Amino acid sequence: MNILETHDLTKEFGRFTAVAQLSIAVAGGETFGLLGPNGAGKSTAIKMMTTLLPPTSGTAGIAGYDIVRQAGAVRRVIGYVPQLLSADGTLTGYENLLIFAKLYDIPRRERKERIDSALEFMGLSDVAGQLVRTYSGGMIRRLEIAQSLLHKPQVLFLDEPTVGLDPVARHLVWDHITELRREYGTTIFLTTHFMEEADILCHRVAILHHGTVRAIGSPAELKSSLNIAEPTLDDVFVHYAGDSLATEEGGFREASRLRRITRRLG
Amino acid sequence: MKHHDCDALPAGWDSPLATLTGFFRKTFVIAELEIRKLRHDPTELFFRAVQPALWLLVFGQVFGRMRGTGIPQYRDFIAPGILAQSVLFIAIFYGIAIIWERDLGIVHKFLVSPAPRSALVLGKALSAGIRALSQVVIIYVLAAVIGVHINWHPAALLGVAAVVVLGAACFATFSLVIACIVKTRERFMGIGQVMTMPLFFASNAIYPIDMMPRWLQVIAGGNPLTYEVDALRSLMLVQGASHYGIGLDIGVLIAATAILTAVGVRLYPRVVT
């Protein structure tokens, strides 16, 4: 059974079409990746599904709830980790989780246990009492994933989960996401422009370019569709999304934003 | 954590009563967030004491010696005005915090949570109110030092605290609305400067309305800060008297906050785009 479905989901900003008629279906327990160069419309698509942006046209349903008409219900069954590192640096790791436990109506008697187990699952128990300011980028990202898991979401949305992280931190985040999927069967919807990330984490991927889906399938299927020797997902990506990984679409804003994230991670 | 048995929606989660209690609970959670932040780093609050100290100790003392102002006890007159001014400054730059949280993506996570938008906006307003309470302590200490005739009755103190929270909530919501429109820190800083001084000078904070030219009296009469000062003057001082009546003062502040909150609730979700 599909836990997430979109039908012709479209978002226009003025005359610019960020996402055009996106129609995808994600099965329960699946990890689905939306791949694309910067500016391809990945974040816009994820913002619509998480109720942050109203679609211009088309529909989408999550766990049977409509993202526009039943936005409140959708918000209760999804978890979301935005692209930016968004944990509050002036609070401790524990407090960051506590605030969200309260916002998500987790009963008082269960709060501590859930927060503790989420922190432990993400390997952050030892630093729970420290201010998040003192965390590394990888730790902040893991804290945010812990934050998004407190209410046991049916679908977890990760927008560029490892952007700006160094390779070691990136692999650690991948390990945790893999474990999350394996142990609890959480459906994960992620966006990325790292081919390796999609290859390791995703059951199926859709390649998005200029707001439209160019190809969809498992990484293996997409690779074998190319008819070249030892294809990589990079080859697939170049084949479907043009010859550059970072198009000019993102432009100055994208570049300065990425640099800001990198700087913040120190 | 067992994710395979996901949380079902609790029965009756969208009943009117659950919605109402949820609204107040979430509002206080956002305010709790602010208290926790302040507890970790209260230094900022102390730097806030410099400006009111200058107004009370320098401007107030000199201006009070001028003949013909018609105000016998100028330091008594100005103390509530400076309290209102400090609260205004804290509240009006609250929008910067909103933009900061937007740039970091914190707002995105709040908006994806099931907390009602109105609770998020009102929670932010209440947070500014809590921050502004620190100014009450600072101004009361300064005012006591220079011999302002302060009404120390507990009911009067509570009244002052309530008016301060309400005033801060009003202008913080105004600030939030501006922040949601301009969206960048640079533009906000410019507009923040432009807004604060007219609000301050077109009010009864440092001179009585009667002294103003007619056109300014009209503007001051529509400025919520005037009503905040008026309420503070009647509550803070031993011989305090309200010009408009405290009921009208509080009514104007609540009405202004309610209207601005309604506008803020419409604009806040758009801040992420």
Side-chain angles (χ1 to χ4, degrees):
Chain A
M1 195 198 110
N2 292 330
I3 196 158
L4 187 162
E5 278 183 30
T6 73
H7 301 284
D8 294 331
L9 199 62
T10 301
K11 182 70 191 179
E12 291 164 4
F13 296 103
R15 267 184 297 172
F16 174 68
T17 305
V19 175
Q21 291 161 350
L22 182 71
S23 295
I24 45 176
V26 178
E30 189 177 18
T31 299
F32 189 91
L34 206 52
L35 264 73
N38 296 329
K42 305 185 299 281
S43 281
T44 305
I46 222 170
K47 276 181 182 168
M48 284 192 278
M49 292 180 218
T50 52
T51 76
L52 283 173
L53 268 184
T56 309
S57 62
T59 58
I62 292 168
Y65 299 111
D66 183 88
I67 56 159
V68 176
R69 284 180 289 110
Q70 296 162 302
V74 169
R75 287 182 200 127
R76 285 182 180 269
V77 298
I78 62 170
Y80 171 54
V81 179
Q83 188 172 4
L84 304 157
L85 290 174
S86 55
D88 199 314
T90 56
L91 299 178
T92 68
Y94 187 89
E95 284 173 325
N96 263 286
L97 266 61
L98 181 65
I99 293 293
F100 275 82
K102 291 182 177 182
L103 284 182
Y104 277 93
D105 295 309
I106 291 165
R108 180 185 298 270
R109 59 187 182 283
E110 288 178 39
R111 263 181 226 150
K112 195 181 167 346
E113 191 204 320
R114 284 216 204 172
I115 293 171
D116 287 343
S117 74
L119 284 167
E120 199 192 324
F121 188 73
M122 286 291 151
L124 293 168
S125 298
D126 295 343
V127 293
Q130 289 176 24
L131 290 183
V132 171
R133 253 209 298 275
T134 65
Y135 284 24
S136 70
M139 286 156 77
I140 295 178
R141 190 47 101 200
R142 280 184 280 137
L143 181 73
E144 291 189 307
I145 296 174
Q147 213 173 21
S148 70
L149 293 176
L150 287 172
H151 60 294
K152 303 178 185 173
Q154 299 187 34
V155 184
L156 179 60
F157 288 91
L158 305 169
D159 195 357
E160 302 266 5
T162 63
V163 73
L165 300 187
D166 64 57
V168 178
R170 180 170 296 158
H171 277 96
L172 201 56
V173 169
W174 288 345
D175 290 346
H176 280 98
I177 294 174
T178 309
E179 203 175 313
L180 178 70
R181 192 183 63 198
R182 199 171 46 218
E183 270 192 43
Y184 304 112
T186 308
T187 308
I188 298 172
F189 188 100
L190 61 87
T191 67
T192 183
H193 61 269
F194 295 120
M195 295 309 112
E196 193 190 353
E197 184 158 289
D199 224 350
I200 290 177
L201 295 178
C202 298
H203 296 117
R204 279 191 314 140
V205 297
I207 293 177
L208 200 65
H209 191 47
H210 292 311
T212 49
V213 173
R214 297 295 168 93
I216 195 162
S218 72
E221 280 166 12
L222 290 179
K223 283 182 216 169
S224 64
S225 73
L226 286 192
N227 289 323
I228 58 171
E230 293 182 35
T232 65
L233 209 50
D234 274 319
D235 297 324
V236 174
F237 191 85
V238 170
H239 180 81
Y240 289 104
D243 53 0
S244 75
L245 284 178
T247 62
E248 302 78 51
E249 297 277 314
F252 174 75
R253 243 184 92 202
E254 184 72 17
S256 71
R257 195 181 44 72
L258 279 178
R259 209 166 299 150
R260 202 163 62 221
I261 297 173
T262 318
R263 192 168 58 226
R264 189 159 173 247
L265 298 180
Chain B
M1 267 203 318
K2 288 197 170 54
H3 287 275
H4 43 253
D5 45 66
C6 299
D7 276 9
L9 293 182
W13 66 277
D14 55 355
S15 74
L17 185 67
T19 308
L20 195 68
T21 58
F23 167 77
F24 284 112
R25 233 184 13 248
K26 304 298 164 52
T27 305
F28 288 123
V29 171
I30 300 296
E32 177 192 342
L33 178 73
E34 189 74 8
I35 296 171
R36 287 180 181 274
K37 276 170 185 263
L38 285 176
R39 213 169 50 192
H40 287 301
D41 187 12
T43 48
E44 183 212 324
L45 296 179
F46 293 101
F47 289 112
R48 295 272 187 185
V50 175
Q51 200 168 337
L54 284 173
W55 279 94
L56 278 179
L57 304 180
V58 180
F59 182 87
Q61 298 293 318
V62 177
F63 205 71
R65 283 165 200 259
M66 274 170 62
R67 300 278 169 244
T69 53
I71 313 162
Q73 292 278 358
Y74 188 67
R75 68 173 80 111
D76 281 10
F77 181 84
I78 196 180
I82 297 306
L83 175 56
Q85 182 217 41
S86 318
V87 169
L88 170 70
F89 281 13
I90 283 198
I92 212 84
F93 286 102
Y94 212 71
I96 288 286
I98 307 287
I99 291 172
W100 174 248
E101 289 183 353
R102 165 192 189 261
D103 290 349
L104 290 182
I106 295 176
V107 174
H108 301 62
K109 281 200 296 208
F110 283 148
L111 288 173
V112 169
S113 85
R117 267 80 163 129
S118 48
L120 297 176
V121 171
L122 209 59
K124 285 291 169 198
L126 193 59
S127 304
I130 287 163
R131 208 169 259 266
L133 280 177
S134 63
Q135 298 301 299
V136 178
V137 178
I138 291 166
I139 304 271
Y140 267 65
V141 169
L142 289 170
V145 168
I146 60 169
V148 171
H149 300 90
I150 296 171
N151 182 357
W152 293 101
H153 192 281
L157 293 177
L158 274 178
V160 166
V163 170
V164 161
V165 170
L166 190 55
C170 177
F171 290 107
T173 321
F174 180 50
S175 178
L176 179 137
V177 167
I178 303 290
C180 291
I181 294 169
V182 302
K183 291 182 185 173
T184 71
R185 235 171 298 178
E186 294 78 7
R187 275 182 283 186
F188 187 91
M189 282 310 280
I191 291 178
Q193 302 283 6
V194 171
M195 288 185 311
T196 343
M197 281 311 176
L199 276 171
F200 176 52
F201 288 122
S203 80
N204 54 353
I206 52 173
Y207 31 66
I209 297 264
D210 307 337
M211 275 177 73
M212 296 177 182
R214 183 74 195 126
W215 63 270
L216 193 56
Q217 290 189 7
V218 174
I219 297 174
N223 182 352
L225 189 65
T226 298
Y227 299 91
E228 184 188 344
V229 173
D230 191 57
L232 289 176
R233 211 161 261 153
S234 74
L235 290 165
M236 188 175 167
L237 303 173
V238 173
Q239 289 185 317
S242 170
H243 188 267
Y244 299 104
I246 191 114
L248 179 67
D249 290 336
I250 290 178
V252 167
L253 287 174
I254 288 178
T257 308
I259 292 166
L260 289 164
T261 303
V263 177
V265 169
R266 307 271 309 169
L267 293 178
Y268 191 57
R270 296 189 204 165
V271 79
V272 296
T273 55

